[in-house]
Amino acid sequence: MGSRFQNRRDAGRRLACELTRYAGRTDVIVLALPRGGVPVAWEVARALRAPLDVYVVRKLGSPGNEELAMGAIASGGVRVLNDDVVNLLGVRADVIERVAHQELRELERRERLYRGDRPPVQVTGRTVVLVDDGLATGSTMKAAVLALRRQAPARIVAAVPVASRPALDEVRALVDEVVCALTPEAFYAVGLWYEDFSQTTDQEVQRLLQPPQTRVAGEADDASLLQLITENARPLRRAEEDYDGLLDKIRDTDADIVLLGEATHGTHEFYAERARITQRLIGEAGFTVVAVEADWPDAWRVNQFVRGRGADVDTIDALADFRRFPAWMWRNADVLDFVGWLRSWNDRAVATQPPVGFYGLDLYSLHSSVDAVLAYLDRVDPEAGRRARVSYACLHQFGTDPQRYGHAAVLGLAQGCEDEVIRQLVELRRARDRYLVGAGPLGVEDYFYAEQNAHLAANAERYYRAVFRGRVSSWNLRDTHMVDTLDALLDHVSRTQGRPARAVVWAHNSHVGDGRHTEFGGRGQVNIGQLVRERHPGRMVNVGFTTSTGTVTAASDWGGMAERKVVRPPLAGSYEDLFCRVPLAAWILELTGGEVHEALRHPRIQRAIGVLYRPETERQSHYFRARIAEQFDFVVHLDQTRAVEPLEGAAPLPTEEVPETFPEGV
C-alpha cells in the first residue's frame, strides 16, 4: 500500500515537517476544516507555534443533487455562490436562501460547539495554513478557499497529508501554495492511507481547540522542548564557522578521539558533513588518523595512496578493493572527494607535519587478511610463510565462504580453527623484533599491517562462529575488535610520529553512540561509543547525525543491488519526528549539561537505517529506544537529505567474502 499514516495526529506531525519554513512567524494562523482536519492541524499549529482555529464551511448543495455545490457558507458569515452552477440549473433565489438558511443553522451549531464564546481569529492580511485530513475530490477545501478569499488573507497555503492528483491540481489553481506529504498514483480514498481513520468526535475537536492553558498537563511538552532546541541549536549554513562550537568543545576537553556517526549508510550529507568536520580537525587540531567502519585491508590500500605510497595513480583506483556488498558505503562520490583531499593535504604538508592516514576498523575480511599475512611472510620469512599456510589451511576446508565454516564449526561438523589462527598471531608477534631489524619506517608499517591482519583473522574466526550463536555475542566481538584496532592505531601512530596521535572515527550512529543508553545496552550489547568512553574517559567527543526525509542508497536484501529509496517521514514520538519540527533546515546542538541535556535524556524511539532499508517493516526493522543526550555529546540534524552516489551500481555479493555489516546491517 505504501507509506501510510498511523492516525491523524501522526499525519499532522509528518505534514508539519513539510511546513517548517512557516514556524515562529507572527503572521501565520492555522485553520482546520472540522472534524477530521482538526487533529492534523493541531499538530501542525503546535510545530509552527501558531494559533489554531476551525474554519467551518458548509457546502450549499444543488436541489436534487446535493453533492454538486452551488456555493458555500463559512465561518464569519461568508457566502460564496458558484454562478455557473446556479445559472446552469436555473436555481431560484428563494431556493438558494432556503438551503443557505438550513446550512447556516448547522454551521452556527458547530461553531458554538467547537469555539464557545471565543470569536473567530481574524485572518485579514495574515498567512493562513488551511488544513484537512486529505483530499479526495477537494470540494470542501475549494469551498473553504473561495470563502476565505472574501476575508482578504495575505496568503493561503492548503496543507493536507494525502490527496489525489486531480484534486490537488484543482486546489493548487485557487491558492498561493499547496503542501501535501503523500500523493499516491493509485489513490482510491483518503481513509486507505491511514491505519486508524476512525471518526473524529466533537469532544476531541473541543479538547484540541482549548487554549493552551486549559490543555491536559504534558500535552505541550514537545512545544516547550522545540523552543528549547531552537534557542540552543546552531544553524548549519555551509559556512566556515558552522562547527566552531564543536571544535571549541574538542579543544576545551583536549579530546583526542572524535566519533562521527550517521543515521544511514547511504546518505550524501552524512559523508559530506563528516568530511567537513574531519578537514577542520586535521587542519586546526592536528588529527592524523581517520578510521572508518570498513575492512582493514581495503582501507589500507587507500592509506597507501593518500600517503603517496603504493601503485595507485588515481583516487578512484585506490578505492578499487571496496568491491563487496555494500560497495557504495566507501566506493562513492563523497569518499572519492575526501580521499582526493587527503592526498592533496599530505602532498602539501609533507615537510611541515606528519601525514594523515586512512584506516579500516572492521573484521569481515577473513580471507583477504589471511592472504595479506601470507604475502608479508613470503617476503620476510618464507619458512614462516609455509608454516602459516598449514595453520590457515584449517579455514579453507569449507571453501572460501567463512559463513559456511562458522556454521559447520558451531554444529560440530568441522573442527574449529581457533587454536591455529591464534598460534599464527602469536608466532608473528614473537618474531616482531627479528623482522624489524634494519627494516626502516616502511618496514615498520609493513609489519604493523601484517600484524593487524593476523589479529583480524583470529577475531574474525571467532566472529563467524559467534554469528550463529546470537546477535549480542557477534556484535560485541565486532565492536570490541574495532576499538582494539583503534587503540592499536593510536599506539602505532604515536610511536612512529613521536607525539600523541589523535583520531577521528566514521561509523554508524549505532556504533558511535554510547550503547549503554539504548535498548540494546540493556540486553548486554556493547559498542564503540561505550568502549571508547570507558577506555579513554574524558578524551572522547561523539556526534550523532539524524535526518527526516529524502532519499537513501540502500538494498532490499543482502547482496542486492544498490537502490535509491525514498526515506519515509519519521514515526510519531521519535527523535527524528521532534527534530523535523525545529524551524531550521540543518543544525547542530550540544547535548552535554544544562537544560538541553536534561530535556533530551528521556527515552524516545530513534531511527537507524543500515545497508538495508525496508520501509514496509520500518518500526520493527529500523527503530529502537534510546536516550540521545546520554548517547552523544552533539547531534547534527539535516532535515532533507539525498542518497549517496555510488561510483557504479553495486554488484551482487561475491562468494569469497560475506558482506560488510553482516548480519546487523549497520
Side-chain angles (χ1 to χ4, degrees):
M1 181 69 68
S3 177
R4 297 203 301 170
F5 306 103
Q6 293 178 339
N7 49 39
R8 290 181 178 88
R9 296 286 287 272
D10 175 41
R13 295 183 190 105
R14 289 163 62 174
L15 183 61
C17 293
E18 308 289 334
L19 291 160
T20 54
R21 58 193 173 281
Y22 292 106
R25 285 175 41 174
T26 57
D27 66 317
V28 172
I29 179 173
V30 178
L31 295 183
L33 298 182
R35 286 176 299 200
V38 176
V40 180
W42 189 87
E43 293 288 350
V44 171
R46 183 173 67 161
L48 302 187
R49 304 189 299 284
L52 171 67
D53 202 356
V54 286
Y55 195 67
V56 184
V57 60
R58 301 290 297 178
K59 288 186 297 184
L60 303 180
S62 302
N65 187 357
E66 300 299 324
E67 289 301 311
L68 179 61
M70 61 179 179
I73 58 172
S75 293
V78 177
R79 180 194 292 187
V80 176
L81 291 179
N82 187 330
D83 293 332
D84 291 339
V85 173
V86 170
N87 295 332
L88 178 66
L89 298 180
V91 184
R92 301 194 313 271
D94 62 316
V95 174
I96 294 173
E97 288 299 324
R98 186 182 75 247
V99 173
H101 183 69
Q102 292 171 345
E103 294 299 336
L104 180 61
R105 284 187 299 177
E106 176 60 18
L107 183 147
E108 290 174 342
R109 184 194 72 82
R110 290 197 177 197
E111 288 204 316
R112 285 194 302 272
L113 181 66
Y114 299 154
R115 189 182 288 115
D117 297 330
R118 298 190 306 275
V121 177
Q122 294 300 310
V123 302
T124 302
R126 303 183 72 175
T127 295
V128 176
V129 180
L130 191 59
V131 179
D132 204 354
D133 57 7
L135 300 180
T137 65
S139 58
T140 302
M141 178 67 77
K142 287 186 288 184
V145 170
L146 292 172
L148 193 60
R149 284 290 184 201
R150 298 291 180 92
Q151 299 180 59
R155 182 176 178 82
I156 298 177
V157 180
V160 291
V162 61
S164 69
R165 291 187 183 277
L168 205 62
D169 290 341
E170 290 188 25
V171 170
R172 185 177 284 111
L174 301 176
V175 299
D176 299 287
E177 182 183 358
V178 167
V179 175
C180 182
L182 184 63
T183 313
E185 291 292 341
F187 177 80
Y188 301 116
V190 171
L192 289 178
W193 299 96
Y194 288 81
E195 294 176 14
D196 175 10
F197 197 63
S198 54
Q199 187 175 30
T200 303
T201 65
D202 286 333
Q203 291 75 21
E204 183 180 3
V205 172
Q206 288 175 301
R207 180 174 62 83
L208 293 174
L209 290 174
Q210 289 174 351
Q213 62 269 26
T214 64
R215 289 180 186 153
V216 177
E219 280 195 338
D221 287 350
D222 274 8
S224 58
L225 185 52
L226 282 168
Q227 183 175 353
L228 180 66
I229 295 172
T230 303
E231 291 171 353
N232 288 275
R234 183 187 184 108
L236 298 178
R237 299 191 173 98
R238 300 290 302 169
E240 180 66 28
E241 64 272 13
D242 279 351
Y243 293 108
D244 281 356
L246 173 60
L247 269 290
D248 288 344
K249 181 75 171 183
I250 293 166
R251 293 187 189 100
D252 292 344
T253 59
D254 201 26
D256 49 24
I257 301 173
V258 176
L259 309 181
L260 302 180
E262 59 183 358
T264 83
H265 277 319
T267 296
H268 153 70
E269 285 81 1
F270 295 154
Y271 286 88
E273 294 306 302
R274 290 187 301 188
R276 291 179 65 206
I277 295 169
T278 303
Q279 287 164 356
R280 291 196 63 183
L281 291 174
I282 292 169
E284 300 173 34
F287 279 64
T288 57
V289 173
V290 180
V292 303
E293 184 189 343
D295 282 336
W296 176 258
D298 300 349
W300 188 262
R301 180 170 176 177
V302 178
N303 178 57
Q304 296 296 88
F305 172 76
V306 300
R307 298 177 67 180
R309 302 171 180 171
D312 293 318
V313 176
D314 297 322
T315 308
I316 195 167
D317 296 329
L319 299 174
D321 282 353
F322 294 114
R323 64 188 185 280
R324 297 188 310 280
F325 175 88
W328 69 85
M329 260 186 72
W330 301 110
R331 193 168 165 77
N332 63 59
D334 294 298
V335 174
L336 186 73
D337 289 343
F338 177 67
V339 170
W341 180 89
L342 270 183
R343 174 61 185 264
S344 297
W345 171 269
N346 283 337
D347 287 347
R348 293 193 306 271
V350 65
T352 58
Q353 60 189 78
V356 179
F358 185 94
Y359 307 92
L361 299 177
D362 229 328
L363 53 48
Y364 291 109
S365 57
L366 175 59
H367 291 290
S368 297
S369 289
V370 166
D371 291 344
V373 174
L374 295 174
Y376 173 76
L377 291 174
D378 286 345
R379 290 198 311 274
V380 301
D381 189 346
E383 181 57 35
R386 285 190 286 272
R387 292 195 301 271
R389 279 180 169 79
V390 174
S391 296
Y392 287 140
C394 175
L395 292 169
H396 298 301
Q397 57 191 303
F398 280 86
T400 57
D401 183 356
Q403 291 180 86
R404 290 181 60 200
Y405 157 72
H407 193 210
V410 167
L411 294 178
L413 302 177
Q415 182 178 351
C417 302
E418 183 175 13
D419 291 344
E420 286 81 354
V421 293
I422 291 176
R423 183 168 58 248
Q424 184 55 50
L425 173 60
V426 170
E427 181 176 337
L428 183 64
R429 285 176 172 169
R430 284 175 175 168
R432 178 183 184 275
D433 291 342
R434 180 160 53 89
Y435 292 158
L436 294 184
V437 172
L442 291 180
V444 172
E445 286 286 300
D446 289 345
Y447 173 81
F448 177 65
Y449 174 59
E451 180 188 39
Q452 287 305 119
N453 276 305
H455 178 245
L456 188 157
N459 280 343
E461 186 276 334
R462 294 174 59 207
Y463 175 82
Y464 288 119
R465 285 186 285 113
V467 161
F468 297 98
R469 295 195 181 107
R471 172 186 170 95
V472 172
S473 59
S474 60
W475 176 282
N476 288 355
L477 272 169
R478 182 181 170 214
D479 274 48
T480 300
H481 170 84
M482 287 198 277
V483 177
D484 288 345
T485 303
L486 177 62
D487 285 343
L489 270 169
L490 290 170
D491 181 64
H492 170 74
V493 174
S494 296
R495 283 187 284 106
T496 56
Q497 294 185 351
R499 67 178 192 179
R502 311 184 81 182
V504 55
V505 175
W506 294 15
H508 197 277
N509 283 350
S510 54
H511 293 294
V512 304
D514 190 330
R516 291 172 293 186
H517 306 289
T518 71
E519 66 179 73
F520 302 120
R523 303 173 193 170
Q525 191 167 292
V526 300
N527 69 351
I528 294 173
Q530 173 186 343
L531 294 172
V532 172
R533 271 185 177 168
E534 291 174 342
R535 295 186 188 184
H536 305 274
R539 294 170 53 200
M540 179 197 85
V541 170
N542 67 347
V543 184
F545 286 72
T546 64
T547 186
S548 297
T549 55
T551 56
V552 63
T553 297
S556 298
D557 298 290
W558 287 111
M561 297 295 291
E563 303 173 46
R564 181 168 300 212
K565 296 186 170 218
V566 175
V567 177
R568 290 180 61 172
L571 293 182
S574 65
Y575 284 111
E576 292 81 4
D577 169 56
L578 175 69
F579 292 164
C580 81
R581 288 182 273 148
V582 174
L584 297 170
W587 45 269
I588 182 170
L589 177 69
E590 184 174 355
L591 302 174
T592 58
E595 283 187 90
V596 172
H597 177 83
E598 187 60 32
L600 288 174
R601 63 184 297 271
H602 303 289
R604 289 175 180 254
I605 55 173
Q606 184 181 125
R607 181 157 59 188
I609 298 173
V611 297
L612 305 185
Y613 183 39
R614 291 170 173 158
E616 65 277 7
T617 58
E618 181 137 20
R619 176 62 182 89
Q620 300 92 324
S621 300
H622 300 293
Y623 280 88
F624 61 96
R625 293 191 70 77
R627 295 187 295 276
I628 199 166
E630 307 285 2
Q631 279 179 285
F632 300 105
D633 299 309
F634 288 80
V635 63
V636 172
H637 181 75
L638 308 164
D639 206 52
Q640 294 282 333
T641 52
R642 62 180 173 87
V644 73
E645 294 288 343
L647 296 184
E648 61 272 311
L653 173 65
T655 57
E656 68 268 14
E657 299 281 7
V658 299
E660 292 184 29
T661 76
F662 179 85
E664 295 90 359
V666 290

